[in-house]
Amino acid sequence: MSRFFLGERRLNQKPLILNQRRIFILPTQRGLGFSLLILLLMLIAFVYNNNLAYMLAFLLGSIFFITILHTYKSLAGLTVQEGETTAVFAGEAAGFGVHIDNPTSVESQHVQLKMKAVEHFNLKAHSKAHITLYDLTQKRGWHPAGTVTIFSTYPLGLFRAWSPIRFNAKALVYPKPANQEIPFPETGSTKAQQGQFKKGGDEFYGLQSYQAGDPIKHLHWKAYAKGLGLFSKQYGGESSAEIWLDYGHAPGQSLEERLSYLCRWVVDAEQAGLSYGFILPSLRLEPGNGPAHYRLCLEALALFNL
């Protein structure tokens, strides 16, 4: 299915600077095991009065405590700002952009961003990065980003420094278009325009009820196999046809089913290059086409009755 241009939302939230008030740090499981090893060496050195064991324990202890500083510095000073979000259809993964800037003179290595999945990256000194995090959507409407966690276990994995960031970003989720192809609603305007539409071209126009004499190769067998009736595919050689897509003519038993079919009409009409009007109980858009008109129709479907 062609996605066309689904639109982006730009956000103006101020960048968040990661400092000692925002960064938390705790030992990892490896770090706890490392500290246990140091204690065991200290115990051996004390029992056997072994200077080499003391030296090894102090050496490992100094590495343990120095690692805290390096792990903290891998995040300290970074600025994080939410970026653009892209609208998607329900069931697809919404993308949330994150801008990360490293204004310090220290390279940030093995930094990770987590929403549902984890993204890994390195950030050189005085450089920027743009990361897109994805989260699977399930229903139409606004889908919030929620909490994004930036963390690092650099350099030895003994400590984990992290900072949870609550983003205000939200992606708009359109209804999932119905899987099956259905004919456009036959309103008065639609019938008149269909009569003006030049048949016999190569571009798929839509479906209509089977009429005696329609070519067999144009029959829509999938719809017939599903018990929806016998339809024939219509093709045209022009893109000037004008139709009206009306919520009142959409099939389906529930609100979501009707919006799903109406969404399918919008997608099919845009793909066919038709000029289509759009009607909801609380909205009427005059016929048009193109990315802007397409986006307005889908946004209206996404937010209807929410």
Side-chain angles (χ1 to χ4, degrees):
M1 180 185 300
S2 176
R3 290 270 301 277
F4 296 95
F5 173 74
L6 297 184
E8 293 183 344
R9 295 183 68 249
R10 296 184 178 274
L11 299 149
N12 298 316
Q13 186 186 47
K14 294 182 179 180
L16 297 176
I17 302 176
L18 302 185
N19 52 33
Q20 68 274 13
R21 301 178 63 181
R22 293 187 176 274
I23 298 176
F24 304 91
I25 185 167
L26 283 175
T28 62
Q29 187 173 0
R30 181 186 297 180
L32 293 175
F34 194 82
S35 61
L36 183 61
L37 174 61
I38 295 173
L39 291 176
L40 182 60
L41 285 173
M42 289 292 293
L43 180 62
I44 293 174
F46 177 77
V47 171
Y48 294 99
N49 195 24
N50 190 312
N51 291 333
L52 288 177
Y54 273 120
M55 184 177 68
L56 181 58
F58 291 144
L59 177 61
L60 295 180
S62 63
I63 293 174
F64 184 79
F65 289 108
I66 290 175
T67 300
I68 298 176
L69 179 61
H70 285 280
T71 305
Y72 169 78
K73 282 188 173 182
S74 65
L75 296 184
L78 298 181
T79 62
V80 182
Q81 184 177 21
E82 58 190 57
E84 299 78 22
T85 61
T86 303
V88 295
F89 293 104
E92 296 179 342
F96 298 90
V98 182
H99 300 290
I100 303 175
D101 182 16
N102 182 11
T104 70
S105 58
V106 179
E107 180 178 1
S108 295
Q109 300 185 45
H110 303 288
V111 182
Q112 301 176 65
L113 271 176
K114 179 180 179 182
M115 182 177 284
K116 289 294 188 289
V118 178
E119 294 288 337
H120 305 256
F121 64 96
N122 296 325
L123 199 57
K124 294 183 178 180
H126 306 291
S127 63
K128 299 180 180 180
H130 175 76
I131 308 294
T132 301
L133 302 174
Y134 294 93
D135 190 17
L136 192 64
T137 63
Q138 295 183 350
K139 59 181 181 179
R140 67 183 179 91
W142 292 112
H143 185 83
T147 300
V148 174
T149 303
I150 182 170
F151 65 96
S152 176
T153 58
Y154 177 82
L156 300 177
L158 301 181
F159 289 88
R160 181 178 186 265
W162 79 96
S163 179
I165 303 172
R166 180 72 180 181
F167 277 175
N168 294 323
K170 53 185 179 180
L172 187 59
V173 182
Y174 305 141
K176 182 179 180 180
N179 292 326
Q180 61 190 42
E181 296 178 354
I182 55 175
F184 291 124
E186 296 185 355
T187 61
S189 299
T190 303
K191 291 179 180 179
Q193 290 295 336
Q194 285 176 341
Q196 298 174 8
F197 194 72
K198 185 187 297 183
K199 296 187 178 181
D202 297 328
E203 295 184 4
F204 174 70
Y205 165 69
L207 301 175
Q208 74 172 21
S209 300
Y210 173 76
Q211 303 291 331
D214 286 346
I216 294 180
K217 65 179 182 179
H218 289 173
L219 293 182
H220 192 265
W221 295 110
K222 290 183 179 180
Y224 181 73
K226 294 178 180 179
L228 300 175
L230 192 58
F231 299 101
S232 39
K233 301 177 182 179
Q234 301 299 304
Y235 297 86
E238 296 180 356
S239 59
S240 58
E242 180 181 294
I243 60 174
W244 281 94
L245 307 180
D246 190 344
Y247 172 83
H249 293 87
Q253 301 298 321
S254 66
L255 170 66
E256 297 303 325
E257 286 183 2
R258 300 182 75 176
L259 293 180
S260 178
Y261 281 111
L262 190 53
C263 184
R264 180 60 191 251
W265 280 338
V266 171
V267 172
D268 288 346
E270 185 69 25
Q271 288 180 334
L274 306 178
S275 178
Y276 53 96
F278 182 79
I279 300 176
L280 285 176
S282 57
L283 176 69
R284 178 186 177 94
L285 298 176
E286 293 302 316
N289 59 14
H293 184 71
Y294 179 69
R295 188 171 66 253
L296 285 175
C297 295
L298 293 180
E299 287 177 354
L301 288 172
L303 301 176
F304 181 65
N305 273 1
L306 292 181

